[in-house]
């Protein structure tokens, strides 16, 4: 009987030894076209957030292809697939419990911008409401916030560079369209000085940008990525990347 028990124990141990080890979770890292954070240039994915995520991967010793999808599709993938990491997403109260979060990659604000040589001073929304025309995106988060403030003197435009151009040409008094990094990016694209538009004192909104993750990704993976991100910041690499897109 003792011999049978020993044989059984040995057989069980060998089965455990031969059993294939659990495979690590295969992450799918995605983003959307939103310059200057994540966008394609000459067929190459680039941008501030792209470089930050790539730096995190280097710190981890991991390599994941980053795929670009329309924003709505990316959000659907986050909601329905178990292994998605998506950036750069605003961490809003409505999204808080839908995903797990890594970051913040950046704390970004949306201000109203005016021409550099415009002598008018804008301190409050009441001042903003007095102008004739404000260039705004034709849809999305910024437009919804603008409309929630009761602003009716708005001119909806499809392209961000067109919104900025309208202010530069005097066809609009103000633009509320992008973060400081975004405004600098599009001024460069238009071959204009990066201070051709200046911030007013009026902030429309502020939200942190994060890497949003499917709820089924283990906390151990989230913690590992968060720790790697903190190392990227502590090393000074984060600030160097940010400055590259700000100036």
């Amino acid at each position: 009987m003792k011999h049978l028990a020993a044989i059984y124990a040995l057989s069980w141990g060998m089965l455990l030894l031969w059993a294939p080890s659990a495979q690590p979770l295969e992450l799918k890292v995605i983003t959307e076209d939103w310059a200057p954070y994540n966008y394609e240039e000459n067929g190459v994915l680039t941008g501030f957030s792209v470089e930050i995520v790539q730096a995190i991967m280097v710190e981890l010793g991991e390599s994941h292809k980053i795929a670009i999808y329309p924003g709505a599709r990316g959000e659907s993938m986050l909601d329905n697939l178990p292994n998605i990491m998506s950036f750069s997403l605003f961490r809003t109260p409505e999204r808080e419990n839908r995903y797990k979060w890594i970051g913040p990659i950046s704390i970004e604000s949306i201000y109203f911008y005016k021409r550099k040589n415009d002598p008018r001073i804008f301190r409050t929304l009441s001042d903003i409401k007095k102008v004739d025309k404000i260039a705004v995106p034709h849809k999305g988060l910024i437009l919804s916030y603008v409309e929630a403030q009761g602003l009716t003197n708005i001119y909806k435009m499809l392209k961000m560079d067109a919104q900025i151009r309208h202010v530069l040409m005097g066809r609009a008094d103000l633009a509320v369209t992008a973060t400081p990094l975004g405004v600098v990016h599009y001024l460069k694209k238009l071959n204009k000085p990066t201070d051709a538009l200046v911030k007013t004192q009026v902030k429309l909104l502020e939200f942190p940008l994060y890497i949003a993750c499917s709820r089924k990704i283990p906390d151990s993976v989230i913690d590992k990525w968060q720790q790697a991100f903190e190392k990227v910041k502590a090393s000074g690499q984060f600030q160097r990347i940010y400055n590259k897109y700000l100036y």
Side-chain angles (χ1 to χ4, degrees):
M1 201 64 185
K2 289 182 179 179
H3 290 298
L4 286 174
I7 292 170
Y8 176 79
L10 180 62
S11 300
W12 179 248
M14 293 178 71
L15 281 171
L16 289 175
L17 183 63
W18 292 339
S21 58
Q23 294 297 310
L25 181 68
E26 184 178 341
L27 297 172
K28 187 174 181 64
V29 183
I30 66 172
T31 189
E32 63 177 311
D33 184 14
W34 187 41
Y37 297 92
N38 8 269
Y39 65 103
E40 282 189 324
E41 188 171 67
N42 300 321
V44 177
L45 190 60
T46 187
F48 165 72
S49 298
V50 171
E51 291 197 35
I52 295 298
V53 171
Q54 289 171 337
I56 293 172
M57 290 184 195
V58 170
E59 182 66 38
L60 290 169
E62 297 181 8
S63 178
H64 304 281
K65 181 181 178 182
I66 302 173
I68 191 164
Y69 292 95
R73 183 176 175 188
E75 196 154 339
S76 176
M77 292 169 73
L78 266 174
D79 288 332
N80 296 294
L81 297 177
N83 61 337
I84 303 297
M85 287 186 172
S86 179
F87 66 94
S88 312
L89 264 69
F90 287 118
R91 186 172 180 174
T92 64
E94 296 78 16
R95 290 172 169 168
E96 180 65 32
N97 295 321
R98 287 167 58 191
Y99 312 123
K100 295 180 179 180
W101 303 92
I102 299 164
I105 297 175
S106 187
I107 305 294
E108 295 294 356
S109 300
I110 306 291
Y111 285 86
F112 291 84
Y113 278 79
K114 67 176 185 175
R115 289 183 303 283
K116 183 179 180 179
N117 60 358
D118 187 338
R120 291 174 293 179
I121 297 174
F122 299 92
R123 294 190 177 92
T124 67
L125 273 173
S126 295
D127 297 329
I128 300 294
K129 290 178 179 179
K130 294 174 184 176
V131 304
D132 291 329
K133 187 184 290 186
I134 306 168
V136 300
H138 77 293
K139 64 178 181 179
L141 183 69
I142 292 174
L143 177 62
S144 66
Y145 268 74
V146 165
E147 292 178 334
Q149 300 303 319
L151 293 170
T152 57
N153 51 342
I154 59 176
Y155 184 56
K156 301 177 187 178
M157 305 186 72
L158 180 62
K159 294 185 177 181
M160 199 175 298
D161 53 354
Q163 297 161 35
I164 289 174
R165 192 184 298 113
H166 262 60
V167 179
L168 292 172
M169 297 173 67
R171 294 179 180 176
D173 300 279
L174 301 167
V176 57
T177 184
T179 64
L181 284 189
V183 171
V184 167
H185 172 81
Y186 282 100
L187 285 170
K188 288 179 178 178
K189 192 176 176 182
L190 294 169
N191 295 315
K192 299 295 183 181
T194 55
D195 63 348
L197 291 186
V198 295
K199 282 192 300 187
T200 69
Q201 298 178 38
V202 186
K203 182 194 299 184
L204 177 67
L205 63 97
E206 178 179 273
F207 273 123
L209 292 174
Y210 278 77
I211 304 170
C213 307
S214 301
R215 294 288 303 172
K216 289 187 178 180
I217 293 178
D219 289 343
S220 59
V221 174
I222 304 298
D223 292 343
K224 183 175 67 171
W225 275 65
Q226 184 68 44
Q227 289 168 14
F229 172 62
E230 298 299 338
K231 289 180 180 178
V232 169
K233 285 200 298 183
S235 71
Q237 189 175 5
F238 176 94
Q239 194 61 49
R240 288 193 294 272
I241 295 171
Y242 189 87
N243 290 344
K244 173 181 171 181
Y245 288 91
L246 186 60
Y247 301 110

